[in-house]
Structures are given as structure tokens and as C-alpha cells.
Amino acid sequence: MISLIDVTKQYNLDNGTIVTAVENANLDVQRGEFIVIVGRSGAGKTTLLNLVAGLAKPSSGKVLIENVSFEDINDRQLSLLRNQKIGFIFQLPSLLPSLTVLENVLLPTILHTSTKERKDARAECLLRTVGLSEKMHTYPRQLSAGEQKRVVVARSLINQPEILLADEPTSNLDEQTEKDIMTLLKDINSSGTTLLVVTHDMALAQHASRAFRMKNGFLEELEINVF
């Protein structure tokens, strides 16, 4: 479902230095898998996730979603593919403070042709699923960090994506909220959604069907039984 073939991503800094964030990465993710990629800050995890999402373009190599290569489609087609097939849980909540919780969840549906009633019904159902049905008309500033993360999870699922990408989904959360978020992600995966999570927390790899480590831009598969 997701394929990275010899993918490298480099950045040119203002002083002329070239930084390689991802180097010669190869990855095949099958439909319904739960993949966790662990690594320290600066290892290249977020860059890799952005490449999979089409938010960054590789310097070399290919990224494919269901055998569609990103380099073979234009920006509009890529935006539609991302909107229809990929949900994204960003490391920071990235909620718009001027919108209610419900309105934030509905944001990705702008390009969808479903009726407002169907969109609202799905958003309300998702907010019930993440335990926030009573706060759908409140604003992000009125929520805890864990509640804001739950809103982001609901928003990422509003378009019923086949793939969910999560960047440090449990960062800055207390232990119980971290467990709740991981339980929620496992339930999402159990429903058939392909999950790709990047994290600095090695303990999260125990929840994966397969685990990888990123170090200095290189990706290597790990044995699950070492956790």
C-alpha cells in the first residue's frame, strides 16, 4: 500500500551546507499493518512521514501509494489523493483557535461532496468515539493537551482515510492519556486502517505489527521481541 524505493531527502542550508534527513530509505507497508518507527529527535522520522504524505518531495527515489508514484501526478492530483486516502496526526495539535472543536474536525471535508448533514453526523460520531461529545462546541483553548490530541485524531479520520500517519501521537501527555491514545490507535488499526507512527518512545514499538528504527537518516527494521 505504501512503498518507499531508495528515497533520499536533502536540504540545502543558507550557508551552503547540505543536510541529509533521509538516506536511501526502503519501506513496504501492506494494507492493514501497524508500523512504528522509533528514533531520537533529528533522526529523520518526521521528514520520512512528510515524504509518505506528499508534504515533501524526495531528492531522489520514489514514493508510491497503491502503486501511484507521487512524481507521476500533479499537485492537484496529489492533494486529492492525500485528502481522500491519508489522515495525518501532527506532533502539535494544529487546531485553529477561532473554530470550535466540531468545526476543526470538519475542516478536511471542504473538498468532499457529501451533504452538510452527513459530514456533521460523522464528525459528531467521531467526537463521541474519542470521548469528546460534550465538548464539540467548545474552543481548543478550553481543552487539555490530551483532549486537543483527541480532536486531532477525530479530524484525521473525518474523511475515512485508508492510511493514518501519526507524528509523536503521545508526546507531552500524561501516562493515562498516553495509554488511552494508543488504545484508540489500535482500535482504529483493528477496523482496517493502515497505521504508520513515528515516535521517540521505544515502548510504543511493542504495539506494532512491525517496528523500525531511524538513526542519522537511515531506516532499519527491528525485531519486535526485543521490546
Side-chain angles (χ1 to χ4, degrees):
M1 188 165 197
I2 302 170
S3 294
L4 274 64
I5 304 172
D6 298 328
V7 170
T8 293
K9 177 61 178 178
Q10 296 180 321
Y11 294 97
N12 296 311
L13 303 184
D14 291 339
N15 62 6
T17 303
I18 297 176
V19 174
T20 302
V22 175
E23 188 161 354
N24 198 36
N26 289 277
L27 178 65
D28 280 304
V29 180
Q30 303 302 312
R31 186 180 299 275
E33 280 197 288
F34 187 165
I35 303 296
V36 171
I37 299 174
V38 297
R40 295 183 177 182
S41 297
K45 306 186 305 298
T46 296
T47 299
L48 184 76
L49 213 60
N50 287 338
L51 289 165
V52 173
L55 298 173
K57 294 182 178 180
S59 303
S60 62
K62 288 187 176 183
V63 179
L64 300 92
I65 300 292
E66 293 190 326
N67 295 317
V68 176
S69 174
F70 287 175
E71 66 180 8
D72 293 335
I73 57 179
N74 59 37
D75 289 343
R76 182 177 181 277
Q77 291 170 322
L78 178 57
S79 294
L80 285 173
L81 182 149
R82 187 165 51 233
N83 184 262
Q84 294 170 359
K85 290 188 177 292
I86 301 175
F88 207 119
I89 301 173
F90 294 94
Q91 183 174 356
L92 299 176
S94 63
L95 300 174
L96 296 184
S98 61
L99 299 182
T100 66
V101 165
L102 180 62
E103 290 167 340
N104 267 286
V105 172
L106 285 166
L107 270 178
T109 67
I110 292 173
L111 297 178
H112 276 235
T113 58
S114 300
T115 64
K116 181 180 184 304
E117 289 76 15
R118 289 189 64 182
K119 293 176 182 178
D120 286 353
R122 175 156 176 79
E124 291 171 9
C125 178
L126 286 169
L127 286 169
R128 284 195 297 272
T129 299
V130 300
L132 291 176
S133 59
E134 296 181 356
K135 297 193 175 183
M136 64 178 66
H137 299 300
T138 61
Y139 290 86
R141 65 179 178 275
Q142 298 170 289
L143 304 178
S144 68
E147 289 172 334
Q148 289 185 35
K149 188 75 74 171
R150 289 171 181 269
V151 176
V152 173
V153 172
R155 184 180 63 187
S156 73
L157 297 171
I158 188 66
N159 287 337
Q160 297 179 283
E162 298 175 31
I163 300 167
L164 183 59
L165 308 177
D167 187 1
E168 299 283 5
T170 60
S171 63
N172 302 317
L173 300 179
D174 61 75
E175 185 176 353
Q176 183 57 53
T177 304
E178 177 181 305
K179 290 179 180 179
D180 292 343
I181 292 295
M182 285 309 301
T183 298
L184 182 59
L185 292 179
K186 286 192 289 184
D187 289 344
I188 292 166
N189 176 246
S190 296
S191 71
T193 303
T194 303
L195 204 57
L196 179 57
V197 173
V198 301
T199 178
H200 69 279
D201 188 350
M202 295 287 288
L204 298 189
Q206 65 184 308
H207 300 287
S209 53
R210 286 193 293 149
F212 295 78
R213 176 189 285 117
M214 283 207 78
K215 185 177 181 180
N216 299 325
F218 290 97
L219 186 67
E220 62 174 351
E221 189 163 2
L222 299 174
E223 295 289 338
I224 292 292
N225 59 15
V226 302
F227 300 100

